[in-house]
Amino acid sequence: MDNVQIATDAIRNIKTNDELDQLVEVFKLQRTYFSRNVARTLMIGDTVSFDANTRGVIKGKVTKVNQKTVKVRCDRTQTTWKVTASCLKLETA
């Protein structure tokens, strides 16, 4: 049984709203951890990409790194995007 299935089974056994609220807090903390971890690895000038839903995959260069978000300047349109770090993929040169 994989980790997702084990977690799903455990979630289905939650009986109170307090337990569910605690679980939501754990999810939020884990997402924050992922974002900060990725943000620490990025540097200004790195080439990254991300999926902008209806606009497709956007490629650009990092112009600023915050704790959880990164500003990315698109190569084609010169548009600046503020993106959650965990959504970014580092492009190899």
Side-chain angles (χ1 to χ4, degrees):
M1 196 180 279
D2 66 339
N3 289 338
V4 174
Q5 187 59 45
I6 293 168
T8 302
D9 292 342
I11 290 168
R12 294 195 191 285
N13 288 327
I14 291 177
K15 303 292 182 212
T16 67
N17 275 332
D18 288 337
E19 290 176 343
L20 194 57
D21 289 341
Q22 289 174 2
L23 185 62
V24 168
E25 187 62 28
V26 169
F27 278 108
K28 288 180 182 179
L29 289 172
Q30 192 64 26
R31 282 191 189 273
T32 298
Y33 171 77
F34 286 150
S35 291
R36 288 183 178 173
N37 226 14
V38 172
R40 275 191 224 100
T41 65
L42 295 173
M43 298 184 70
I44 293 173
D46 283 346
T47 302
V48 294
S49 66
F50 62 96
D51 185 6
N53 293 330
T54 59
R55 295 184 180 177
V57 176
I58 305 288
K59 288 186 180 183
K61 293 201 182 297
V62 174
T63 60
K64 184 176 181 183
V65 179
N66 297 315
Q67 282 187 344
K68 293 189 277 184
T69 62
V70 177
K71 286 193 177 182
V72 177
R73 185 144 182 102
C74 179
D75 295 333
R76 292 182 283 145
T77 62
Q78 301 303 312
T79 307
T80 301
W81 297 73
K82 186 174 181 182
V83 184
T84 302
S86 60
C87 295
L88 294 174
K89 178 182 172 193
L90 187 62
E91 295 292 317
T92 55

